[in-house]
Amino acid sequence: MGGAMSEGRSSTAVPGTGYDGRRRWQALSVGLIAAFMTLLDVSIVNVAVPSIDRALQATPSDLQWVLSGYALTFGLVLVPAGRFGDARGRRTAFVVGVGLFTLTSALAGLARSPEWLVVARLVQGAAAGVVNPQVSGMIQELFRGADRGRAFGLLGATIGISTAVGPLLGGLVIHLGGAEHGWRWVFFVNIPVGIVAMVLGWRLMPARPTNPAGRGRLDPLGVLLLGTGVTALLLPLVQREQWRGPGKWLLIPVGLLLLGGFALWEHRYARRAQPLFDLRLFTVRSYTLGALIGLIYFAGFTAIFFVFTLYLQMGLGYSALVAGLAITPFALGSALASALGGRVVTRYGRPLVAVGLVAVVAGLIATDLVLAGGPHDDVPLRTALPLLVAGLGSGLVIAPNQTLTLSEVPVPTAGSGAGMLQTGQRLGSAAGIAAVGALFFSTLAGDRGDWSTAFRHSLLLAAGIIVVALGAAVTDIVLGHRWAAGRS
């Protein structure tokens, strides 16, 4: 194992894949481009909402579905798409997913009504969910040891940057495209990128299935139970502002019951065929605690940008472009630290993730402190340094945690394992935005429109959520030390 971890970026073929060092890094580059494009569309559309509202006369419900419908269908297909890639080959799933994403991007940009745009966004989100587990699964398949850490480091940087830089790129595209039609170019820019990714993906992505024994049925009942369970959990979260009254929260226990039924069915199905998701992965400590850390961290991490964008644009009157620039320090810090974290994660393990979580919490608390006594006229400048610190910490969390979480996942189940990990992240994002957003708006209403106080309270809640993720990381470290002591 030590030898594998110390292997460099060699040009030798990875056993059983036929890929030399150069070709696998080329394949990874194509995968990262597609992942960046699909993940960017989670946040880039936020700044386009006012323009869409004016152009299409959309209702608040329409706009909510434009934003949250993408995340909903994204999360629904991750595990089935990962399982399909494991069983039938990643190239087909990747190219079909990118092609569908490109087509629906064009349709979204051409939308003539809110209903047209909502449907395009729903299908676009499903296409994104097809693409992303193929990238994680490909890394598991083509990379070993330290190279796998570097590859996941680049993927982590892609995730962090795409999430943080979305408002900036959206503001820039709208600024260049004009107030009337700029929002359409937020979707149109995906078209040339998608076409190039399809062509290169067909040439470079692995075509052979990693799990030929699983080429049979793709567990349709498992797909149905998981899909309805995830939908029941996500719907009340993504529609929290539109569905008034407490009745919507009854879907949460319904979703949990459906997911319980999914677990029972998968346990039974595994006795005779390859299940949609191998539940034995949850007996692996690194996978279970890593998935938990990812779920909780994304609940705090994603919510920060949601409330910060609202605070800057609606509370302080900054343009979409300036609001995006204000988040850039976090994105830069995340990019730098992700590349570093991917290189050293095999040396330091989960303690590196814990250090990153501490840095994120420290950066958020510092952001709260520099905004004390507000409102201020120079919020982007005041928050630049603490957000840089938080971004550096985030870079040491996302990529290293993904590497460690998937490190013991067998390659034949790499796609479905990565899909379940990302499903948890989508659930965490929705739950975090719901909780932090609820505190933000309730504080705003109670303090007679004090945007600064509302943002600071929300920021502290997000930091508190990340402290819980830190607790999970410390638990993994302690259990790891006990296991090592028991073996010695």
Side-chain angles (χ1 to χ4, degrees), residues 77-331:
V77 302
L78 284 166
V79 176
R83 166 78 173 91
F84 182 91
D86 291 336
R88 306 293 171 87
R90 307 202 191 284
R91 183 175 71 180
T92 300
F94 180 86
V95 172
V96 170
V98 172
L100 184 59
F101 185 88
T102 305
L103 175 62
T104 49
S105 294
L107 291 174
L110 294 170
R112 292 293 181 266
S113 68
E115 294 78 14
W116 178 339
L117 182 58
V118 167
V119 172
R121 284 286 285 172
L122 289 171
V123 183
Q124 188 188 37
V130 172
V131 172
N132 278 272
Q134 313 313 326
V135 181
S136 298
M138 180 191 67
I139 292 174
Q140 291 284 94
E141 180 180 350
L142 298 184
F143 295 87
R144 302 288 185 271
D147 276 359
R148 181 179 289 179
R150 295 187 185 101
F152 272 123
L154 293 172
L155 178 60
T158 300
I159 295 171
I161 294 172
S162 63
T163 304
V165 83
L168 171 61
L169 290 183
L172 183 61
V173 169
I174 292 171
H175 178 74
L176 294 175
E180 184 177 356
H181 296 295
W183 68 270
R184 297 184 184 275
W185 287 98
V186 167
F187 299 109
F188 287 151
V189 293
N190 293 328
I191 297 173
V193 179
I195 292 172
V196 171
M198 286 174 63
V199 174
L200 294 179
W202 187 259
R203 291 181 55 191
L204 296 171
M205 295 290 286
R208 293 181 300 172
T210 57
N211 187 15
R215 285 186 61 90
R217 296 174 61 197
L218 293 176
D219 189 6
L221 182 57
V223 172
L224 179 63
L225 288 170
L226 179 63
T228 52
V230 172
T231 300
L233 289 180
L234 281 174
L235 267 179
L237 297 173
V238 300
Q239 287 289 287
R240 66 197 180 281
E241 294 298 320
Q242 304 305 320
W243 291 1
R244 300 296 180 182
K248 61 179 176 288
W249 302 115
L250 294 175
L251 284 173
I252 299 292
V254 171
L256 293 175
L257 285 173
L258 287 167
L259 292 181
F262 167 74
L264 291 173
W265 169 253
E266 292 299 283
H267 178 72
R268 179 181 177 184
Y269 191 85
R271 297 173 183 172
R272 64 178 188 272
Q274 181 68 32
L276 178 65
F277 177 77
D278 191 343
L279 294 173
R280 289 176 296 180
L281 287 178
F282 285 128
T283 66
V284 179
R285 190 190 77 244
S286 61
Y287 184 83
T288 301
L289 286 175
L292 181 63
I293 292 168
L295 185 153
I296 299 170
Y297 179 68
F298 269 74
F301 160 69
T302 313
I304 296 166
F305 304 110
F306 172 68
V307 295
F308 195 33
T309 302
L310 288 176
Y311 173 48
L312 290 171
Q313 290 188 255
M314 299 177 66
L316 301 180
Y318 287 108
S319 68
L321 182 59
V322 174
L325 285 170
I327 300 171
T328 301
F330 188 102

Side-chain angles (χ1 to χ4, degrees), residues 63-78:
L63 296 173
Q64 182 67 22
W65 273 105
V66 168
L67 295 176
S68 60
Y70 181 91
L72 175 64
T73 53
F74 192 138
L76 283 180
V77 302
L78 284 166

Side-chain angles (χ1 to χ4, degrees), residues 21-38:
R22 181 179 179 183
R23 190 177 179 210
R24 59 188 173 137
W25 289 103
Q26 289 174 337
L28 175 64
S29 298
V30 177
L32 293 180
I33 290 170
F36 180 84
M37 178 176 64
T38 57

